[in-house]
């Protein structure tokens, strides 16, 4: 005999049980589907027919109809079994098919939901049992049955079993009976909660009455809800409307009682309270008295029950109504950036952006976005009042950010690059409200740029900001999310912008970059003048308003020094430049040997950075743009890294190439700011030996140095952080005696300044010169090496140089059977053949040279090894 009922069996253990065994059964033998159990949804489009089956019977139009029932919160840690019967008097397709929703978190099966369903009816050859997961409005196929097919007028009894470990097993009987055949299994644990079970029919007008359902049964443990509902959010809709969201479904009988809601400030109870038809956690309230603009109100909520009948305690919640005004640029500012959370010093392990309301207006951030150079994410509903801070973080780090009260979590916060990136804040109309383009240099500290510290804005009230208004946080935790920055300083901007870089792109294009963002209002070509009869015909600023491109006529001449004068440009605070001048030169094309490698740090201190110093050994002005650094791998030039910055290197100037200029400047305090090019990546140079290659833009080699740790001064205990310095610009790069450890007195490195071991060769008409004759090889930077220079009367000689002590014993074989040029040099670092420091005292340098005819000559020259006693 058919019957329809819920059966609940209560278990008790040592404590009060929080679960019951639930069993939904409905075979429609009572002729009713609106009660015991209750099905809701498109009830007018279904009936119980004469065979006591649930039957679709809507209007004869193309439509989608559903019914659903509340089965409670099934316990997914235990076994759950679903059984049902269905039949369709047609061949299913994408236009005509059915779904059985095993689980759903929404009563409305036509809306977005999270759950699982069985579908019968697919295109092509997949007319089988198909198992889907639905997230929102997106469905993902998880499994297709392997047994029965249901392509024509399908009739099926189906059983689905889910184990507590998440294994879904499928069975079917294509006759509609209960002799089940296996249909395979799949494991999925993405969704582990539910509230509703239901059916969904999609049909064209000819199939509106061809769906039949029967024998629904669900067996499993239901987690009992003993917790009353709570208000989760209050949203102001208008000057007299509120939306209240609850953390669970609430009963319409209590949610629509007007006296259960009351607002202070004389507003009182609402004139209407309506439970949302699609979302039973949402109540719409309308009041007869309007809210006052800018006034904080308190709504009190009481006596609201959830579906099981738990009654909430009285609670009160603040809300603010304000008249929406458009946001001006920098009404809200990006105030703190956490792009590199590792290592941790005290902040959460997730990235975040902090914004600050620097205006006197209040803004709701619904549909605002936060993003980087490649993507953005909606912020969501949040009201930010004047002088308040807001942390924006990814919801994957919800627990870690729960310690902050002023935080909003977004579904997918863009991942901000550690080295450099853009942060963009836009309003609901896509208008940029603030924009920051940061780089690692802004931290001002090698430690902080390595991670764990935020970038903090110094003065959020400045209308124009640049790198000078940002620095790494001074807070011991690494940052100050949700609070005033540790580096905060509201001193008004009284600094006039300066020109920090100038370059020429071609003979008619000049680039000037400024220390601050420029107010471009009223700017014209008259603000820029060039001497020597050059006219500025047009200008254009970059997107950050910190660099300007000038087009000139006539064109510039190579090698001529021009003066560009800027006057009348102001920053956004009104500080105006007056006759600020800079020199520009159209660069020469470089050739091999114009730029040489002058200093190499290949084995930095722990957490330090490699660097290569380049010297302009020509009389040309050379732009380093598109030059390259490289190394050698298996005898082939490899790992080329491009210099992407325009930098004019004048004759006899140094420039240091590195990936971390801050780190180098911290480790070598004599380094000069502004003489670095920070490269995005660097060739790999090993700590023992390798080859440094400097390439011209056309990929020709300008200079090449093979280094070896044996080139270092042998008496050093450690060579970490000790650079190799070139002794003479004009001696060959591959002469190992032309390289020496940087002096200890110079900090073991001299990036951007003259080498501590620099000792140029002096030409002389005699065959052999020694400079200095008295030297002290103690690596103090003063006369640490002795340089022997020879000049031959003709080519073709072979030479030997031997160092003897005063007793005639060989101390050092400096040169052996080496083919000599017309002139050349070689250095002695004061070490003997055992790589020990020679004793203090006098020595004889014996220079022997001979030709192929057997003519042998020799020169003796004294020298003295000095030292401290």
């Amino acid at each position: 005999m058919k019957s329809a009922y819920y059966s609940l069996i209560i278990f008790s253990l040592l404590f009060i049980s929080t679960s019951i065994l639930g069993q939904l059964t409905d075979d429609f033998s009572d002729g009713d589907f609106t009660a015991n159990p209750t099905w809701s949804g498109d009830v007018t489009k279904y009936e119980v027919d004469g065979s006591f089956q649930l039957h679709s019977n809507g209007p004869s139009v193309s439509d989608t109809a559903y019914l659903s029932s509340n089965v409670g919160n099934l316990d997914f840690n235990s076994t759950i079994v679903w059984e049902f019967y269905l039949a369709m008097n047609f061949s299913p397709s994408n236009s005509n098919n059915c779904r059985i929703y095993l689980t759903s978190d929404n009563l409305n099966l036509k809306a977005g939901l999270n759950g699982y369903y069985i579908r019968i009816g697919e295109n092509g050859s997949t007319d089988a049992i198909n198992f889907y997961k639905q997230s929102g409005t997106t469905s993902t196929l998880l499994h297709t049955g392997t047994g029965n097919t249901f392509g024509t007028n399908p009739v099926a009894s189906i059983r689905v079993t889910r184990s507590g470990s998440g294994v879904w097993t499928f069975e079917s009987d294509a006759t509609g009976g209960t002799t089940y055949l296996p249909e395979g299994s799949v494991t999925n644990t993405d969704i582990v909660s539910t509230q509703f079970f239901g059916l969904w029919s999609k049909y064209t007008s000819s199939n509106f009455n061809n769906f039949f359902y029967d024998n629904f049964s669900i067996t499993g443990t239901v987690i009992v809800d003993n917790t009353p509902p709570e208000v989760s959010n209050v949203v102001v809709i208008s000057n007299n409307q509120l939306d209240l969201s609850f953390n669970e479904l609430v009963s319409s009988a209590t949610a629509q009682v007007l006296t259960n809601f009351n607002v202070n400030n004389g507003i009182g109870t609402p004139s209407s309270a309506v439970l949302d038809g699609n979302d039973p956690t949402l109540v719409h309230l309308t009041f007869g008295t309007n809210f006052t603009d800018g006034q904080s109100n308190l709504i009190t909520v009481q006596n609201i029950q959830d579906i099981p009948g738990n009654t909430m305690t009285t609670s009160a919640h603040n809300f603010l109504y304000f008249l929406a005004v458009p946001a001006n640029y920098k009404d809200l500012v990006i105030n703190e950036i956490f792009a590199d959370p590792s290592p941790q010093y005290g902040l959460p392990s997730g990235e975040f952006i902090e914004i600050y309301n620097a205006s006197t207006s209040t803004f709701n951030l619904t549909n605002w976005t936060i993003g980087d150079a490649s993507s953005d994410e909606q912020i969501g509903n949040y009201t930010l009042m004047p002088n308040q801070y807001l942390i924006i973080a990814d919801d994957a780090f919800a627990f870690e950010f729960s310690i902050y009260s002023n935080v909003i979590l977004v579904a997918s916060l863009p991942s901000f690059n550690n080295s450099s990136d853009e942060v963009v804040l836009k309003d609901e109309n896509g208008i940029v409200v603030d924009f920051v383009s940061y780089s690692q240099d802004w931290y001002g500290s090698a430690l902080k740029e390595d991670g764990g510290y935020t970038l903090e804005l110094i003065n959020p009230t400045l209308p124009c900001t640049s790198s000078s208004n940002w620095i790494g946080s001074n807070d011991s935790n690494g940052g100050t999310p949700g609070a005033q920055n540790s580096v905060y300083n509201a001193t008004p901007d009284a600094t006039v912008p300066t020109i920090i870089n100038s370059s020429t792109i071609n003979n008619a294009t000049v680039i000037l970059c400024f220390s601050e963002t420029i107010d471009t209002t009223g700017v014209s070509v008259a603000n820029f003048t060039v001497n020597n009869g050059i006219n500025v015909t047009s200008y254009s600023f970059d997107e950050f308003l910190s660099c300007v491109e000038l087009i000139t006529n006539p064109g510039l001449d190579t090698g001529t020094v021009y003066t560009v004068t800027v006057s009348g440009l102001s920053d956004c605070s009104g500080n105006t430049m007056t006759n600020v001048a800079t020199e520009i030169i159209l660069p020469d094309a470089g050739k091999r040997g114009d730029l040489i490698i002058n200093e190499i740090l290949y084995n930095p201190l722990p957490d330090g950075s490699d660097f290569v110093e380049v010297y302009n050994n020509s009389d040309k002005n050379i732009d380093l743009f598109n030059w390259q650094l490289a190394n050698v791998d298996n005898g082939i030039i490899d790992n080329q890294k491009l210099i992407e910055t325009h930098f004019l290197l004048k004759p006899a100037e140094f420039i240091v190439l590195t990936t971390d200029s801050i780190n180098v400047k911290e480790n070598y305090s004599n380094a000069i700011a502004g003489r670095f090019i920070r490269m995005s990546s660097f060739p790999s140079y090993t700590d023992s030996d390798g080859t440094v290659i400097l390439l011209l833009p056309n990929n020709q080699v300008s200079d090449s140095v093979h280094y070896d740790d044996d080139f270092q001064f042998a008496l050093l205990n450690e060579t970490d952080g000790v650079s190799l310095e070139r002794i003479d610009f004009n001696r060959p790069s591959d002469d190992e005696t032309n390289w020496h450890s940087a002096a200890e007195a110079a900090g073991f490195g001299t990036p951007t300044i003259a080498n501590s071991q620099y000792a140029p060769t002096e030409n002389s008409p005699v065959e052999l010169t020694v400079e200095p004759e008295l030297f002290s090889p103690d690596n103090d930077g003063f006369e640490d090496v002795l340089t022997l220079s020879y000049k031959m009367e003709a080519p073709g000689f072979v030479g030997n140089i031997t160092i003897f002590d005063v007793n005639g014993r060989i101390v050092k074989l400096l040169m052996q059977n080496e083919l000599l040029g017309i002139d050349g040099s070689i250095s002695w670092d004061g070490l003997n053949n055992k790589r020990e420091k020679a004793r203090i005292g006098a020595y004889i340098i014996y220079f022997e040279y001979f030709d192929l005819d057997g003519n042998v000559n020799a020169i003796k020259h004294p020298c003295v090894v000095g030292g401290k006693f």
Side-chain angles (χ1 to χ4, degrees):
M1 182 176 186
K2 287 198 170 188
S3 62
Y5 58 91
Y6 281 112
S7 176
L8 304 177
I9 303 173
I10 301 176
F11 289 85
S12 61
L13 298 172
L14 294 177
F15 304 97
I16 297 176
S17 176
T18 60
S19 63
I20 58 176
L21 184 63
Q23 193 172 54
L24 175 145
T25 303
D26 201 344
D27 61 6
F28 307 103
S29 60
D30 60 355
D32 183 17
F33 66 87
T34 61
N36 194 32
T38 300
W39 295 85
S40 60
D42 297 317
V43 294
T44 62
K45 299 175 183 178
Y46 292 91
E47 65 175 6
V48 176
D49 63 16
S51 299
F52 296 101
Q53 291 182 333
L54 185 67
H55 172 221
S56 65
N57 194 29
S60 178
V61 295
S62 296
D63 201 358
T64 300
Y66 81 95
L67 292 176
S68 61
S69 183
N70 187 349
V71 297
N73 190 13
L74 294 172
D75 184 3
F76 277 59
N77 290 315
S78 62
T79 299
I80 307 170
V81 180
W82 293 265
E83 292 184 82
F84 52 89
Y85 166 92
L86 61 86
M88 292 179 279
N89 290 341
F90 55 85
S91 297
S93 66
N94 275 343
S95 298
N96 294 276
N97 59 81
C98 73
R99 300 178 185 179
I100 303 296
Y101 275 89
L102 308 177
T103 73
S104 170
D105 64 355
N106 195 333
L107 187 67
N108 184 356
L109 302 182
K110 294 180 182 179
L113 57 88
N114 297 300
Y116 298 98
Y117 64 84
I118 294 290
R119 173 177 167 176
I120 301 295
E122 300 282 338
N123 279 339
S125 60
T126 57
D127 290 314
I129 293 175
N130 294 285
F131 179 55
Y132 285 87
K133 177 187 72 175
Q134 182 172 335
S135 299
T137 58
T138 301
S139 293
T140 304
L141 179 63
L142 300 180
H143 178 72
T144 295
T146 57
N148 293 316
T149 59
F150 304 93
T152 303
N153 298 335
V155 174
S157 291
I158 297 173
R159 181 164 63 192
V160 180
T161 304
R162 185 194 186 281
S163 72
S165 60
V167 179
W168 299 78
T169 303
F170 309 95
E171 300 168 280
S172 72
D173 183 341
T175 69
T178 57
T179 305
Y180 291 111
L181 298 176
E183 292 281 359
S185 64
V186 68
T187 300
N188 187 274
T189 58
D190 293 342
I191 301 172
V192 291
S193 64
T194 186
Q195 191 73 35
F196 306 103
F197 169 83
L199 55 97
W200 179 99
S201 309
K202 181 180 181 180
Y203 47 82
T204 57
S205 59
S206 60
N207 288 318
F208 75 98
N209 60 351
N210 285 328
F211 293 82
F212 301 87
Y213 304 94
D214 205 352
N215 298 329
F216 289 108
S217 172
I218 304 174
T219 304
T221 302
V222 177
I223 300 174
V224 176
D225 178 7
N226 294 317
T227 305
E230 297 178 357
V231 176
S232 59
N233 199 14
V234 179
V235 178
V236 180
I237 303 302
S238 69
N239 63 351
N240 70 338
Q241 292 178 306
L242 294 179
D243 275 0
L244 262 62
S245 295
F246 292 85
N247 65 339
E248 59 178 316
L249 304 178
V250 293
S251 73
S252 60
T254 59
Q256 299 185 142
V257 176
L258 302 183
T259 55
N260 285 344
F261 311 94
N262 189 78
V263 175
N264 68 346
N265 294 325
I267 295 170
T269 58
S271 57
S272 71
V274 179
L275 185 66
D276 190 277
N278 292 322
D279 182 2
T281 67
L282 179 63
V283 180
H284 307 289
L285 303 178
T286 303
F287 295 83
T289 302
N290 291 345
F291 310 134
T292 300
D293 180 32
Q295 185 178 56
S296 180
N297 303 295
L298 190 73
I299 183 170
T300 303
V301 185
Q302 61 183 0
N303 299 328
I304 305 298
Q305 294 181 350
D306 59 14
I307 301 302
N310 301 299
T311 303
M312 69 177 294
T313 57
T314 300
S315 64
H317 307 273
N318 289 302
F319 70 91
L320 173 74
Y321 168 72
F322 61 92
L323 288 172
V325 296
N328 295 316
Y329 185 65
K330 285 197 172 295
D331 275 351
L332 273 63
V333 297
I334 298 161
N335 195 55
E336 192 167 6
I337 301 170
F338 195 37
D340 187 1
S342 179
Q344 279 186 275
Y345 294 103
L347 296 177
S349 61
E351 298 179 10
F352 70 81
I353 300 296
E354 179 195 79
I355 59 177
Y356 170 69
N357 188 345
S359 75
T360 57
S361 300
T362 300
F363 300 96
N364 185 275
L365 304 183
T366 299
N367 293 327
W368 286 48
T369 60
I370 193 76
D372 63 1
S374 58
S375 64
D376 56 26
E377 179 68 19
Q378 286 195 349
I379 296 175
N381 177 39
Y382 193 95
T383 300
L384 191 61
M385 300 180 67
N387 301 314
Q388 283 189 343
Y389 302 89
L390 173 65
I391 306 162
I392 305 171
D394 195 288
D395 60 10
F397 300 92
F399 177 76
E400 293 186 64
F401 282 95
S402 63
I403 62 175
Y404 304 104
S405 59
N406 47 347
V407 63
I408 189 166
L409 302 171
V410 298
S412 182
L413 184 72
S415 179
F416 297 97
N417 298 329
N418 297 347
S419 57
S420 62
D421 210 336
E422 300 171 2
V423 186
V424 186
L425 177 67
K426 297 179 183 178
D427 67 12
E428 69 275 16
N429 297 313
I431 305 301
V432 174
V433 178
D434 197 17
F435 176 93
V436 176
S437 180
Y438 67 87
S439 70
Q440 280 183 314
D441 290 331
W442 288 21
Y443 289 92
S445 162
L447 170 66
K448 295 175 183 179
E449 74 170 30
D450 193 44
Y453 285 84
T454 66
L455 277 172
E456 291 187 345
L457 189 64
I458 298 171
N459 188 347
T461 66
L462 291 183
C464 289
T465 57
S466 61
S467 60
S468 61
N469 201 29
W470 289 84
I471 199 167
S473 175
N474 289 331
D475 192 270
S476 59
N477 287 323
T480 55
Q484 187 179 86
N485 288 343
S486 63
V487 299
Y488 174 80
N489 184 346
T491 303
D493 176 20
T495 304
V496 175
T498 60
I499 300 172
I500 58 175
N501 191 25
S502 60
S503 59
T504 55
I505 306 304
N506 52 53
N507 70 338
T509 307
V510 176
I511 301 292
L512 303 179
C513 291
F514 304 96
S515 59
E516 296 184 74
T517 303
I518 300 299
D519 181 359
T520 58
T521 305
V523 174
S524 70
V525 293
N527 295 109
F528 312 97
T529 59
V530 184
N531 66 345
N532 294 337
I534 304 297
N535 299 311
V536 176
T537 59
S538 65
Y539 71 92
S540 60
F541 280 86
D542 68 354
E543 59 181 322
F544 311 128
L545 304 182
S546 58
C547 291
V548 64
E549 179 181 277
L550 306 178
I551 304 300
T552 66
N553 184 39
L556 309 177
D557 292 328
T558 301
T560 300
V561 178
Y562 297 91
T563 300
V564 180
T565 303
V566 180
S567 191
L569 290 191
S570 303
D571 61 19
C572 294
S573 298
N575 302 300
T576 303
M577 303 171 69
T578 302
N579 297 327
V580 177
T582 186
E583 290 184 346
I584 58 169
I585 303 171
L586 184 64
D588 301 280
K591 62 179 180 63
R592 179 181 179 89
D594 284 345
L595 302 187
I596 61 173
I597 299 164
N598 192 55
E599 187 174 358
I600 305 168
L601 181 65
Y602 57 88
N603 183 14
L605 294 167
D607 300 322
S609 297
D610 291 358
F611 71 75
V612 173
E613 183 185 69
V614 174
Y615 174 75
N616 188 343
N617 200 33
S618 73
D619 58 358
K620 302 174 182 176
N621 298 283
I622 298 175
D623 187 355
L624 286 165
F625 184 69
N626 281 340
W627 285 62
Q628 302 168 72
L629 270 186
N631 60 17
V632 171
D633 186 12
N634 293 324
I636 299 173
I637 295 176
D638 194 21
N639 205 17
Q640 293 98 324
K641 303 299 180 182
L642 198 66
I643 299 174
E644 300 175 297
T645 303
H646 287 280
F647 191 99
L648 190 69
L649 193 63
K650 298 177 182 178
E653 284 187 343
F654 304 95
I655 190 69
V656 172
L657 309 176
T658 182
T659 59
D660 194 339
S661 55
I662 292 177
N663 177 278
V664 175
K665 284 182 280 189
E666 286 185 348
N667 289 331
Y668 303 94
S669 57
N670 291 325
I672 301 172
R675 305 305 304 179
F676 287 84
I677 291 180
R678 185 166 188 159
M679 300 178 66
S680 57
S681 59
F682 219 59
S684 175
Y685 298 122
T686 66
D687 293 349
S688 57
D689 65 279
T691 302
V692 181
I693 306 288
L694 180 64
L695 297 171
L696 286 90
N698 61 6
N699 289 319
Q700 291 185 349
V701 175
S702 180
D703 196 16
S704 173
V705 174
H706 177 78
Y707 66 86
D708 194 295
D709 210 41
D710 288 341
F711 294 2
Q712 298 276 10
F713 185 54
L715 300 184
L716 291 175
N717 293 325
E718 294 287 344
T719 59
D720 291 7
V722 180
S723 70
L724 277 177
E725 293 184 332
R726 192 182 191 118
I727 295 173
D728 189 344
F729 302 137
N730 297 310
R731 286 171 56 185
S733 299
D734 58 0
D735 177 2
E736 67 178 76
T737 72
N738 197 26
W739 296 89
H740 196 281
S741 302
E744 182 176 1
F748 293 114
T750 55
T752 76
I753 60 176
N755 290 348
S756 61
Q757 305 293 6
Y758 177 61
T761 301
E762 298 293 337
N763 291 326
S764 172
V766 299
E767 286 84 356
L768 182 68
T769 59
V770 176
E771 181 67 31
E773 293 184 344
L774 170 60
F775 73 112
S776 54
D778 53 12
N779 208 45
D780 65 354
F782 179 72
E783 297 183 343
D784 285 335
V785 295
L786 176 149
T787 300
L788 299 89
S789 301
Y790 60 84
K791 186 172 183 180
M792 311 306 297
E793 59 186 16
F797 283 91
V798 175
N800 297 308
I801 299 178
T802 308
I803 311 295
F804 293 92
D805 64 15
V806 293
N807 296 316
R809 292 173 295 197
I810 295 176
V811 175
K812 178 72 172 181
L813 296 174
L814 199 59
M815 177 189 293
Q816 288 184 285
N817 296 326
E818 183 174 313
L819 179 63
L820 304 176
I822 293 293
D823 54 47
S825 301
I826 191 169
S827 298
W828 181 35
D829 57 8
L831 302 183
N832 60 25
N833 285 332
K834 297 180 180 180
R835 295 190 62 79
E836 298 170 343
K837 183 179 178 181
R839 295 181 179 181
I840 294 173
Y843 292 85
I844 299 297
I845 301 170
Y846 185 75
F847 177 40
E848 180 184 51
Y849 56 96
F850 53 91
D851 60 21
L852 297 180
D853 295 330
N855 300 312
V856 180
N857 297 282
I859 300 174
K860 295 180 181 179
H861 200 292
C863 69
V864 176
V865 174
K868 298 176 182 178
F869 290 97

